[in-house]
Every structure is written in structure tokens, then in C-alpha cells.
Amino acid sequence: MTFDTYQTVALACLVLLLGYFLVKRIPLLNQYNIPEPVAGGFVVALILTAVHYVWGLSFHFDTDLQRAMMLVFFSSIGLSANFARLIKGGKPLVIFLFAAFGLIILQNSVAVGSALALGLDPAYGLIAGSMTLTGGHGTGAAWADTLVQNFHIEGGLELAMACATFGLVSGGVIGGPVASYLLKRMHRHGIVEDNDLDDVEEIFEKPELRRKVNARSVIETIAMLSLCLWIGQTVDTLAKGTAFQLPTFVWCLFTGVLIRNSLTHLGKFQVADSSIDLLGSVGLSIFLAVALMSLKLWQLAGLALPILVILLLQVVTMAAYAIFITYRSMGKDYDAVVLSAGHCGFGLGATPTAVANMQSVTDHFGPSHKAFLIVPMVGAFFIDLLNSVALKMFLAVVTWLH
């Protein structure tokens, strides 16, 4: 069955409403801060999987909508990025960048080492590393094609999609429990007002200056978001096949940064941060709902046992890394907890999953403006570049092992 744009929007909204209902009514989900799109989307994915096995039906949703909502979200991140405030990311941003790169190296080491120990071709192991986990579906698809051509492995693309799917679900599931574990160690319960909590100005959840959300501010924001998508996709088309080729969402984010700072610092125009926050959150929620209800979980059932073992090892590695490395290196405070939850999101899944994890924690325990500054910047600006460098290094290792 195929669903058009309108049907996909309607179903995505129902998935979100289901997620809100489940998280509100099931204490376990609320206790471990499971994001609403993950809760609702995963239940629907399980139902659709059962329907597939019983009646042989497959469901196809409008992927253009999913992609558009992702681009809207990242554009909103760019439009929220005031250069004057970004500078205040400073040292924590650099530290988190090194922590993210360390995870990439560890993921690929675990993947290749485990594949060799289990008697698999190390190229298969590499697919279950940062290629699909930190990289996600897009990076996994691109690099799987390279592995198929270089090492003549079979089913590389399908395996990459299955691994990325596993990572997307796992990243949304473990972020909350990791945060809850760390918060218990800190003996923190509920929202606490603390003027010394964070010295980074509010920029994502509660900007310093906020215009009212009304028809005019929403129209202005839609205009800016549309320009980000238009210009970003145009630049992406021009950059394809060149040294400047980057994922489309990065160009949309860059465009948003340029538009925001041109209007703020050159045009002296007060951007409607409240409307940007609102529309960006809507884009994120719909993207995750469509992504999760589109999961073909039966693909995971076809994975060989060794690959499943490697993926489970990666989940344990991610949780341990977030607790013992990310949390400690970022200062062992509340901001570090939220950053650790976010790292679980994009370390196994995607930056929107990371932001959803962080939003789930901050809704219960209070804002962390530092985390909402750092994670989207690292996840959007830097992680794909760092991942490409690491993958080229490990591709050379796998070539040598062959």
C-alpha cells in the first residue's frame, strides 16, 4: 500500500498523538524519557511488521515529505544560530568534537575487530560501524556502494539500510535511560532553577529576545525556511561530484546561518525566534514519526547472527562511551548529562534523534542551552566530515586485511 503526502501527514500526526498518549500513560516510558515519536513510531512499526508477516502487505509512505521535514528542521537550526552567540560554544564545543571523533574510531574498531573474531569479512563488519551508525542511512547507502565495488560483497546496500535502521531505533531508545542513570548519580529530580547551570546564552529553546507567534512572524519564518531549502538544494546540485560535496541538510543549515546573521547584523532585523523554534520542532516531530513508522523491521530479521552480535556490541559501546567518556569529558554536570543523551542519538542514529533525546530530558529536568548549541553544530557541521576521514582510514585497513 502506498500513501500520498496528505495521507502520510495525517498518519504521522496520529503516530505523534499515539506517542504522547503512551508516554503520558506508561510510567516506564516517562521514567526513561523515551521521545514521543519513538514511542508511537516504534509501536506502529511493530504493527505494520505483523501485518506484513500475516497478510504479506508492505506500506510505503511519502519519503519526499520525510526529507523535506528533515531539511526544515536543520534550516531552523541554522536560522537560530547567531554568530555572536555561537562563539560562546568555545572550549566545550571543541571537547565534544574530540569525543565524537573518538566514538567514530571506537565504533569502527569494534566493528572490524568483532567481524574478524566472528569469522566475517571485515568489510561486512565495517557496515555495522560508524558508516551506518554515526553516519545513518544516507552515509550508509553511499559507502555501501563503495564496499560492494571494492570488495564484491553481496547485499551491502540492504545490510547498510538494516544496520542504520537498527541504529536509529537504538539511538532513540537508550538516550533516555543513559540520562536517567546519570541523573540518579547526580541526585537530580525534576526541574530546578539554577542561575549557575549554564553560562551559554539561550539560543534554541528560549532565545534571549522573542517575538510573539502570530500570522506575520510565521509567514516570515516560512519564507526564510523556504529560501533555506531552495538555496540549499540548489547549491547541493552544483556541488555534486566536486570537492565541496556535502549532505543536502548541511547546505540548508549553512544557508540558514547566513540568512539569520545577515538579517540580524546587517539588516538589523529581529528574527522571530519563537516561530523558528515552533516550526523547527514540528519539522523534527513529523520527520521522526514518518521515519519510524516507515521502518521495515523484517529487514532486521534477515540479518545474520554475527551482524546482530556486532550491532548489540555497538549499542553497549555507545552507552558505556556516553557514561564514561562523554559525560566525564564534558564536565560531569547537568549539561554533560543532556549532551550524553544527545550523543547516544546521533552516535547510533541521527542528529534529529539526538535532539529528540535532549528535548525529552530537558522537558523533565530543565533547559540545557549549551547542549542545544553544541550537539546540532557537531552533528550537522562536523560529524559527516570526521566520519568520512575515519572511514577512509578504515577502508585502507580493510583493504590491507584482504
Side-chain angles (χ1 to χ4, degrees), residues 161-230:
M161 293 301 95
C163 290
T165 298
F166 183 95
L168 185 67
V169 174
S170 301
V173 168
I174 71 167
V178 165
S180 296
Y181 171 77
L182 293 172
L183 287 165
K184 284 181 181 178
R185 290 177 57 180
M186 293 176 59
H187 305 290
R188 179 167 178 143
H189 306 281
I191 294 178
V192 178
E193 293 294 333
D194 185 353
N195 293 328
D196 298 324
L197 182 65
D198 190 358
D199 60 357
V200 177
E201 289 187 48
E202 304 174 358
I203 66 153
F204 187 84
E205 304 139 295
K206 298 179 180 177
E208 183 181 6
L209 297 174
R210 304 179 73 93
R211 288 175 52 191
K212 291 182 179 179
V213 177
N214 53 34
R216 178 177 173 179
S217 67
V218 170
I219 290 171
E220 289 172 357
T221 303
I222 291 175
M224 290 187 290
L225 290 170
S226 300
L227 279 174
C228 290
L229 269 64
W230 182 8

Side-chain angles (χ1 to χ4, degrees), residues 237-303:
T237 301
L238 296 173
K240 273 188 168 59
T242 72
F244 300 98
Q245 182 171 343
L246 292 169
T248 307
F249 74 84
V250 176
W251 290 117
C252 292
L253 191 150
F254 275 139
T255 304
V257 172
L258 293 175
I259 290 175
R260 166 60 188 261
N261 288 277
S262 297
L263 290 174
T264 300
H265 301 295
L266 299 179
K268 304 300 180 182
F269 177 78
Q270 185 179 332
V271 174
D273 287 297
S274 298
S275 296
I276 292 171
D277 185 15
L278 174 64
L279 294 178
S281 296
V282 169
L284 170 66
S285 296
I286 293 177
F287 163 74
L288 285 175
V290 177
L292 287 163
M293 70 184 187
S294 300
L295 294 178
K296 294 177 173 58
L297 294 179
W298 55 87
Q299 290 180 343
L300 300 181
L303 287 175

Side-chain angles (χ1 to χ4, degrees), residues 40-53 292-293 295 297:
F42 193 55
V43 168
V44 171
L46 288 173
I47 294 172
L48 297 183
T49 299
V51 170
H52 172 77
Y53 278 120
L292 287 163
M293 70 184 187
L295 294 178
L297 294 179

Side-chain angles (χ1 to χ4, degrees), residues 2-335:
T2 301
F3 297 91
D4 62 22
T5 301
Y6 303 120
Q7 294 166 337
T8 301
V9 171
L11 291 172
C13 291
L14 290 175
V15 166
L16 290 172
L17 293 174
L18 173 62
Y20 298 142
F21 175 82
L22 292 174
V23 172
K24 183 177 180 180
R25 295 300 180 91
I26 301 177
L28 188 65
L29 298 179
N30 188 53
Q31 177 184 349
Y32 287 104
N33 307 311
I34 303 302
E36 288 88 352
V38 173
F42 193 55
V43 168
V44 171
L46 288 173
I47 294 172
L48 297 183
T49 299
V51 170
H52 172 77
Y53 278 120
V54 174
W55 289 288
L57 293 176
S58 295
F59 299 87
H60 303 281
F61 301 96
D62 186 357
T63 55
D64 289 338
L65 171 69
Q66 178 185 342
R67 181 173 181 274
M69 290 298 100
M70 180 188 71
L71 296 180
V72 164
F73 167 70
F74 281 109
S75 297
S76 74
I77 293 293
L79 291 171
S80 299
N82 189 327
F83 279 144
R85 296 167 183 167
L86 290 179
I87 294 173
K88 296 193 175 183
K91 183 179 177 181
L93 176 66
V94 176
I95 295 173
F96 191 74
L97 192 61
F98 276 102
F101 187 64
L103 175 68
I104 291 173
I105 298 299
L106 182 59
Q107 281 181 334
N108 290 319
S109 300
V110 169
V112 174
S114 299
L116 291 172
L118 294 168
L120 279 182
D121 187 320
Y124 280 112
L126 201 57
I127 293 177
S130 73
M131 179 187 301
T132 57
L133 301 180
T134 295
H137 289 81
T139 303
W143 281 90
D145 185 58
T146 300
L147 291 180
V148 170
Q149 292 179 9
N150 289 0
F151 304 109
H152 308 291
I153 61 177
E154 296 182 0
L157 179 60
E158 291 76 9
L159 184 59
M161 293 301 95
C163 290
T165 298
F166 183 95
L168 185 67
V169 174
S170 301
V173 168
I174 71 167
V178 165
S180 296
Y181 171 77
L182 293 172
L183 287 165
K184 284 181 181 178
R185 290 177 57 180
M186 293 176 59
H187 305 290
R188 179 167 178 143
H189 306 281
I191 294 178
V192 178
E193 293 294 333
D194 185 353
N195 293 328
D196 298 324
L197 182 65
D198 190 358
D199 60 357
V200 177
E201 289 187 48
E202 304 174 358
I203 66 153
F204 187 84
E205 304 139 295
K206 298 179 180 177
E208 183 181 6
L209 297 174
R210 304 179 73 93
R211 288 175 52 191
K212 291 182 179 179
V213 177
N214 53 34
R216 178 177 173 179
S217 67
V218 170
I219 290 171
E220 289 172 357
T221 303
I222 291 175
M224 290 187 290
L225 290 170
S226 300
L227 279 174
C228 290
L229 269 64
W230 182 8
I231 297 172
Q233 292 184 92
T234 301
V235 175
D236 176 65
T237 301
L238 296 173
K240 273 188 168 59
T242 72
F244 300 98
Q245 182 171 343
L246 292 169
T248 307
F249 74 84
V250 176
W251 290 117
C252 292
L253 191 150
F254 275 139
T255 304
V257 172
L258 293 175
I259 290 175
R260 166 60 188 261
N261 288 277
S262 297
L263 290 174
T264 300
H265 301 295
L266 299 179
K268 304 300 180 182
F269 177 78
Q270 185 179 332
V271 174
D273 287 297
S274 298
S275 296
I276 292 171
D277 185 15
L278 174 64
L279 294 178
S281 296
V282 169
L284 170 66
S285 296
I286 293 177
F287 163 74
L288 285 175
V290 177
L292 287 163
M293 70 184 187
S294 300
L295 294 178
K296 294 177 173 58
L297 294 179
W298 55 87
Q299 290 180 343
L300 300 181
L303 287 175
L305 181 61
I307 294 295
L308 280 174
V309 171
I310 295 173
L311 290 173
L312 291 173
L313 283 174
Q314 295 285 22
V315 173
V316 174
T317 299
M318 178 71 258
Y321 192 91
I323 292 170
F324 296 107
I325 303 297
T326 306
Y327 173 68
R328 292 171 182 268
S329 64
M330 297 309 299
K332 296 191 290 187
D333 56 9
Y334 175 65
D335 288 318

